[in-house]
Structures are given as C-alpha cells and as structure tokens.
Amino acid sequence: MPNSATPTHCPYCALQCGMNLTPQQDGGVAVVERPDFPVNKGALCGKGRTAPAVLASSVRLTSPLVRSGGTLVPATWDEALDRVAEGLARTRTEHGPDACGVFGGGGLTNEKAYSLGKFARIVLGTSQIDYNGRFCMSSAAAAGIKAFGLDRGLPFPLEDIPRTGCVILVGSNLAETMPPSLRFFNELRENGGTLIVIDPRRTKTAEQADLHLSPRPGTDLALALGLLHLVVAEGRVDEEYVQERTVGWEDARAAAMAHWPEYVERITGVSVPQLREAVRMFCEPEHAMVLTARGPEQQSKGTDTVGAWINLCLATGRAGRPLSGYGCLTGQGNGQGGREHGQKADQLPGYRKLDDPDARRHVAAVWGVDPDSLPGPGRSAYELLDALGTDIKALLLMASNPVVSAPRAAHIEERIKSLDFLAVCDVVLSETAALADVVLPVTQWAEETGTTTNLEGRVLLRRRAISPPEGIRSDLEVMHELAARLGGERGLEKGFPTDAEEVFEELRRASAGGAADYSGITYRRLAEENGVFWPCPGSVENSEISEESGSSEISEGAAPHHPGTPRLFLDRFATPDGRARFAPVSHRAAAEEPDDEYPVLLTTGRVVAQYQSGAQTRRVAELNAAAPGPFVELHPRLAARLGAVEGDPVAVVSRRGRAVAPARITTGIRPDTVFMPFHWPGEGRANTLTNPALDPTSRMPEFKACAVRVEAVKS
C-alpha cells in the first residue's frame, strides 16, 4: 500500500466496507482496494467506488445559508449559528424545553450520535430526540432484547456464514442493498450449504437461492409460525436445548400449533410442499441461521414477526451455538452504533435505558450533572415528526431527509413547513434542508476522523484523508458553538469537544458497564486492528465514577486487553438467568388490508445504484445513469387488467396520497403486489403512499405493506 493511501471505510451501508483513499492532483481523493479488511476484502459496489464524487464542491453545500425574504442566502458562520441559537432559545423560553426537537441520523459517527444525545438532554433539556434508525432495525432490536437480553445486529461475524449449513434470509435483497456481502452466501453454497430467500419479489438475491418463498406482503409472521408448527409436528425440536437454555416454550409452542400448514398457505400464498421443504433444508444440517432485514421488520407487527423467526432458531437449537443463530442485517452506515449511545428517544450511552435510575446516575456522573436534571424518554421518530408545528415548535436536524424517507411523507413535509424554526446540518441541500431557516454545511466521511459500528458489532475507525473546503465545519464544532451560545455563563461548550478522539474517550467512560460497553476500545487499538467487537470492557481504575467530578480513568495497562466479543451468547444469553425467551406470538393482519377501493398491496425498497433518500447518490452522474428515477414494478396480469404498458406512467394511490412513475412489468413479483423504490422526491415519491401505522413495541412504521390501487395514466 502506498504511504500516501489512507485506510478508511465506505460512508454508505452497514457493511462499512474497507477502502483506501489516495490523493489526486486536483486535491480530491480516489478509491482503491483495501483487501486486508475481512468484510469486503477489497470488493466495493458502485456507491462505494463513486463516494468521492459527493466531496466535490460543485455538488455540496459550501457556505451556511439563512432564510431571508423567503429565500435561502449565503451567510457567515457566526450569523448562521447565532440564528440557530436564537431560534432554539426563543422556543425554549416561550414554550418550554420539550418544544425543541432534535432529529438525528444513522449515518452519524458514534462520536456525533453520542454528542447529539448529550446536547439535547443537557443544553436544550429536551426529551424530544430520536433518529431515522427507528425506521430501519428497531423491530429487530426490540425482539432481540426480549429474546436474548441484548441487541446487536449480528451476534457473529459475517465470516461464519459460509461455514453454516443453511441460511434463511427473510426480506433482504442484499445483492442490491449491500452487494459485497453476497460473496459470503456464494461461499456458503460452494461449501455445500443452502440458501432460502423469503421475499414477495424474485429479486437478484432470490435468483441466487436454492429455495425462494414468495409470501404476500405483511404475512411473514404467519410464515414463521407455520414453519415452527412443522418443526414440532415432524419431531425436529431440540428438546434438550429448549430445556437447558430457554424459557417460555410451552406458550410459544401452543401459538405455533394454531398455524397449521394449510392455514398458513391460505394466508401467505406459500404452498404446503414449499413450507415442508424449507423446514427440511433448515433442520437437516448441523448448523443453520436466520437473518432478517427490513421486509419482516418494517411492519406494524415487526417485533412479533422477528420474535417468531427467533422462536424457530430457539426451538431447533440454532441460537447461542457456533455457526448458528439469529441476526439482523442492519441497513444504515452506523445504524448499529447510532442506536447505542443516546440519540434514541429512550436511551442513554452504552445502550442504557433512560428510565433506569442506575443508568441515569452513571451517565449523569460522566456528564457532571444531576441525574434528576435529565429529561425522561421522548417520542419515537414518526411521532416526533408528526408533532412538529404543534407541540414541537423548533427542530434541529442532522443527517436525515424525512421529506423523502418518512412514511406519509406529504403529511410530514407539511408538518416540517409548519415549524416556527428549522435548522439542518447536512452535506448537501436535501429536500428537507431546502425548507430550513438555517442550513449548516458540515464535513463528510473522508474529511473527518471518527468511529462507526458495522452490522457485526465491529467498531471501526474512519480516518481523515482530505481537508474539507474552506468554510465547512464538523457537526462536533456546530454542537460546541451552539452549546457556547445557549449555555450562557454555564460553560457548557466545555462538555462538547471538537476533537473526535476526545469525545470517544468520554463515550468509553459513559458506556462502561453498559450492554454496549466500548470502554476497552481505543483509537490506538482501532488503528492497529481491523475493528473491535463490542462488548469490550476496559479496566476502570475507580470502580465508581465520582459524582462530583464525573471523571474516571480507563486504563489500558491495568489489565490485559479484552479481545472484544465477535460471537455472543455461546455460554449464556444476556438475560438475568442466562436463558433465552420464546415469544408467544400469533399472526395478525397488516394494519391496512386490500379492499374493493384499494385492492393491491404496495411494498417498498431500494435499488443497487441509489441509497436511502438519495440525497447524496442522486448527485453522482454514474449512479443516476444506472438508476435515473422511480418506477412501479407490477406483474403482467395486473398490467393487462390496467392496460399498462412497459415504460408508460402509472399512478399508485393510497389513502395518504398519489405517486406516478413509469411501469416496469415483470413476472418477478406477485400479481397482487406492486413495488416502488423510495429514493426519489416529487411525484414519484413512494413514501407519499406508505402507512405510518406503528409497531406497539418498536414504534416502527409499516413501510412494507399498505393497500393501494393502480391506475394507468392517460397522456
């Protein structure tokens, strides 16, 4: 590797693929392979290869913007920061601290996510903070905590996948959402293992499967219960494991036995022979895994649905054993770390619960504040957005674009417009930033140092490879400056360092002893190793953190390095008694079922050349050439009934609005279902249509199933 190359990680999905950045004569950087990183071994998708394109000044924000006379105009940093501080302070004075909202993103580094949660609770004193990761993996997180006592996307490294016997992949099109990961599944099949893909569409991932099950959207829970019924009926339960390592089996068994195969076939559309074949393929090998993604999770019953898939693993002894287990394929770049350190409505750093008195005391001591001064839990993401302009009058938003990404997006756009004050920190002028009173341009992945945590729970170091354009500041600098302006004589800015490593050192102390314990991880270790898996406890010289000073020392030399924990639950689960909990769940319908007026189901997802709301990828010419705009995927039988023609516009209408995009006709989707990708704004915005019905536990909206009608658009 040339001396000038900087090893770092891709800014996009939760694989956090390793890459090297080399300087170019024009002052930019180029991506070159980094084969030493075990997740991708040098392979990158098109988004990763073209990531430096968004660093160009021509496509990004290069100056603060403030609204003047209805238009955003350039401003100095002092002017822009003063406007933000004034807007937040005025709102807090006139309406109370909870009238100030904070909304973060799953792309923020651990240091930024940690600081944002601290900023909301100490500087603003508000409980109203959440982040867009709530829309990503929150149902899997809730189910994992219920079952295992701990949530980490994958409780084992990706390298275990090729060595298991069978993988059931539920609701993931990883060939398009995280292409470099497909090699693990190809190696699985080369080693004699099998892959079962569950998806209502025959995606590029499903084409790689040994068995593809195509259930009706919103019926994954019934499907999992039907498979468990067959496991019981065919005598495939690992009775010894169930007795020794679990509780709650009898209730879960009774629930599953009410879902006999023919009943499940009627609900899901998956035939009984296919159900039996899936059970055989899963149970015959010594080792097997279930991996879920957004398909089963983005439902109003997502927590129960994931719980049912975990039940299948527990009943067959496929959890907490080598080369077996349940895992969630986390989506956003730092979706895992982003939910561990305090930007969720109900959490404190270290994955501590905000309503836990011991957790409040610990974190308050690190922060040097009274535990009673910390606000309680606030609203979840959609509920927070829905309250904008009513209970919440001002919003500070970082690294998110809810005008495109939120469910019932037209409504959320109106709520954002109704705010008294909106400040946005972003790298580009997103559709949400365009509505702001103040827009602050911030540094990007290659221009700053910080840590992220990938879907395996592997904490990684992103390194600065290039200087940002003149006039760009980091999110950490923004919070420091706002704390100085809003803190009066309290000197709150001292608690918001601008150096990422200094923030991480405090994060280590705050996370010590928590479920997501990072205290044994240092920048030095991360620079020398290919990441460290949490939990990784350190040696705290003083076992109790001084409540007066809020300080402690975490020493690397006082005890041998903890190696990190690549594989969880091998000895015991993270529950009080060490046993996993079965979930006694039963199928229930989606929040919105088809009827005469809306007879078709809509499901949404991604395409390989775009990412999330597209705010960044839609600014890359190569990616736009590959995926220039939205489309509606529909079956030939449905197209024939409508008189729809390939490439001609069709309208998709739900109870929340109307979207129009070209028809893409394919036999790879169910006749009762249409699909739209959600990367684009405007008339093709898929999330205009989606249903904000929330899971009662995770508060995840039901992106994956809503009732619509489809109409051919006459020219």
Side-chain angles (χ1 to χ4, degrees):
M1 182 180 72
N3 292 332
S4 58
T6 302
T8 189
H9 296 273
C10 177
Y12 291 115
C13 83
L15 287 179
Q16 287 297 280
C17 291
M19 59 170 60
N20 288 319
L21 297 180
T22 58
Q24 302 295 290
Q25 290 185 347
D26 63 1
V29 290
V31 171
V32 296
E33 288 189 0
R34 183 184 166 190
D36 67 301
F37 187 61
V39 170
N40 63 308
K41 294 185 177 180
L44 293 166
C45 72
K47 294 186 291 291
R49 286 188 294 99
T50 61
V54 188
L55 298 168
S57 296
S58 59
V59 300
R60 68 186 297 179
L61 293 165
T62 56
S63 169
L65 304 174
V66 299
R67 193 164 295 280
S68 176
T71 303
L72 287 171
V73 298
T76 66
W77 269 98
D78 280 341
E79 180 183 359
L81 289 166
D82 287 347
R83 286 273 294 270
V84 176
E86 289 166 5
L88 295 173
R90 182 175 61 253
T91 300
R92 190 174 55 182
T93 299
E94 294 178 358
H95 303 285
D98 273 359
C100 294
V102 178
F103 198 83
L108 294 175
T109 62
N110 291 318
E111 293 82 1
K112 294 177 184 180
Y114 171 83
S115 295
L116 190 62
K118 181 180 179 182
F119 180 89
R121 294 176 176 110
I122 289 183
V123 178
L124 296 178
T126 183
S127 66
Q128 299 304 302
I129 175 172
D130 210 70
Y131 83 128
N132 62 17
R134 178 80 66 171
F135 298 158
C136 186
M137 73 298 291
S138 57
S139 292
I145 291 170
K146 283 185 175 184
F148 307 132
L150 181 68
D151 156 50
R152 196 180 82 187
L154 293 182
F156 43 76
L158 285 161
E159 65 189 35
D160 284 0
I161 290 172
R163 298 188 292 147
T164 194
C166 177
V167 173
I168 298 180
L169 188 61
V170 191
S172 171
N173 183 16
L174 52 81
E176 296 200 65
T177 58
M178 44 182 66
S181 70
L182 193 62
R183 73 174 181 88
F184 295 102
F185 299 88
N186 291 337
E187 290 174 17
L188 164 73
R189 298 181 70 207
E190 290 168 3
N191 292 340
T194 56
L195 174 63
I196 301 170
V197 171
I198 298 172
D199 197 302
R201 304 166 61 222
R202 187 162 181 79
T203 63
K204 292 181 180 179
T205 307
E207 290 173 356
Q208 307 299 314
D210 298 281
L211 177 64
H212 172 217
L213 307 182
S214 177
R216 185 171 174 267
T219 63
D220 307 88
L221 176 52
L223 180 60
L225 289 163
L227 296 180
L228 183 55
H229 177 110
L230 287 170
V231 165
V232 175
E234 296 176 4
R236 298 180 184 271
V237 175
D238 187 333
E239 301 285 359
E240 182 179 354
Y241 173 95
V242 168
Q243 183 175 358
E244 292 180 356
R245 299 203 61 185
T246 73
V247 297
W249 168 232
E250 289 305 318
D251 288 343
R253 179 185 183 278
M257 296 316 289
H259 296 76
W260 60 95
E262 292 77 12
Y263 173 56
V264 169
E265 180 181 57
R266 289 199 300 272
I267 294 171
T268 66
V270 177
S271 70
V272 172
Q274 284 185 310
L275 296 173
R276 294 188 184 279
E277 178 64 4
V279 168
R280 183 195 67 77
M281 291 171 62
F282 184 69
C283 292
E284 285 188 353
E286 182 180 359
H287 311 292
M289 299 174 178
V290 172
L291 304 177
T292 67
R294 306 301 79 75
E297 298 162 18
Q298 288 181 326
Q299 298 185 29
S300 60
K301 53 183 182 295
T303 302
D304 284 358
T305 301
V306 174
W309 289 105
I310 292 174
N311 286 353
L312 182 66
C313 291
L314 294 176
T316 54
R318 307 303 178 90
R321 284 179 167 173
L323 306 181
S324 292
Y326 163 78
C328 161
L329 295 170
T330 301
Q332 294 191 76
N334 196 32
Q336 181 68 54
R339 69 182 182 265
E340 296 168 358
H341 297 301
Q343 67 171 332
K344 278 187 73 177
D346 58 350
Q347 285 184 357
L348 288 169
Y351 228 141
R352 290 181 161 92
K353 299 296 288 184
L354 189 53
D355 56 4
D356 177 352
D358 291 336
R360 293 171 68 88
R361 280 192 294 270
H362 174 88
V363 174
V366 175
W367 290 350
V369 299
D370 184 340
D372 291 339
S373 71
L374 298 177
R379 293 176 172 92
S380 71
Y382 179 79
E383 292 165 304
L384 189 157
L385 294 171
D386 189 40
L388 299 181
T390 55
D391 295 344
I392 299 173
K393 306 293 186 180
L395 181 68
L396 174 63
L397 185 145
M398 286 187 174
S400 186
N401 188 19
V403 165
V404 178
S405 64
R408 198 185 174 196
H411 169 73
I412 295 304
E413 182 175 356
E414 290 305 312
R415 300 275 24 99
I416 289 172
K417 289 177 179 177
S418 72
L419 283 164
D420 292 347
F421 181 79
L422 171 64
V424 173
C425 298
D426 210 331
V427 300
V428 297
L429 190 66
S430 71
E431 288 72 23
T432 304
L435 303 177
D437 297 283
V438 180
V439 183
L440 302 176
V442 291
T443 50
Q444 297 188 52
W445 59 287
E447 301 164 347
E448 58 189 12
T449 294
T451 62
T452 61
T453 307
N454 81 344
L455 77 172
E456 306 166 297
R458 188 193 302 252
V459 184
L460 304 165
L461 183 64
R462 282 188 191 166
R463 298 166 174 86
R464 175 171 167 156
I466 187 174
S467 297
E470 185 177 353
I472 304 297
R473 298 188 184 182
S474 74
D475 297 285
L476 295 179
E477 291 176 292
V478 168
M479 285 182 272
H480 176 88
E481 292 292 338
L482 290 178
R485 286 164 168 79
L486 291 164
E489 301 300 320
R490 293 182 291 166
L492 293 182
E493 71 275 11
K494 296 175 184 177
F496 294 88
T498 60
D499 178 74
E501 186 171 7
E502 189 176 346
V503 176
F504 190 81
E505 286 301 304
E506 183 177 297
L507 183 156
R508 293 176 65 207
R509 298 196 300 273
S511 73
D517 191 334
Y518 283 33
S519 59
I521 304 173
T522 64
Y523 269 36
R524 187 174 77 189
R525 283 191 68 179
L526 295 177
E528 296 170 350
E529 304 175 33
N530 270 323
V532 178
F533 292 85
W534 72 259
C536 182
S539 173
V540 182
E541 289 183 347
N542 302 311
S543 59
E544 294 294 329
I545 296 175
S546 167
E547 295 198 9
E548 293 182 3
S549 67
S551 67
S552 69
E553 295 296 325
I554 301 178
S555 171
E556 292 187 77
H561 277 329
H562 189 285
T565 314
R567 296 168 182 86
L568 297 171
F569 314 138
L570 297 182
D571 299 318
R572 69 191 309 275
F573 294 98
T575 55
D577 60 5
R579 293 170 174 259
R581 271 73 171 141
F582 278 96
V585 295
S586 296
H587 170 71
R588 60 183 185 275
E592 190 175 81
E593 287 287 303
D595 57 19
D596 290 342
E597 187 176 2
Y598 301 99
V600 177
L601 283 165
L602 168 71
T603 192
T604 63
R606 287 170 46 192
V607 297
V608 66
Q610 300 289 351
Y611 182 72
Q612 303 299 76
S613 75
Q616 296 179 60
T617 52
R618 285 187 276 113
R619 288 166 168 80
V620 179
E622 180 179 330
L623 300 179
N624 280 335
F631 57 87
V632 179
E633 191 174 274
L634 64 165
H635 192 275
R637 295 212 309 257
L638 177 57
R641 289 204 302 271
L642 299 170
V645 177
E646 176 77 21
D648 283 357
V650 293
V652 183
V653 184
S654 78
R655 290 177 173 85
R656 289 153 295 281
R658 182 175 189 263
V660 178
R664 184 173 294 182
I665 301 171
T666 173
T667 57
I669 192 168
R670 293 174 55 95
D672 58 3
T673 301
V674 295
F675 167 83
M676 290 187 71
F678 59 79
H679 309 291
W680 289 273
E683 70 171 3
R685 181 174 59 184
N687 278 321
T688 296
L689 308 167
T690 48
N691 191 354
L694 301 180
D695 179 285
T697 302
S698 69
R699 316 310 288 170
M700 167 77 85
E702 192 154 58
F703 289 98
K704 291 301 182 187
C706 71
V708 298
R709 67 174 180 267
V710 186
E711 303 167 343
V713 177
K714 296 179 181 179
S715 57

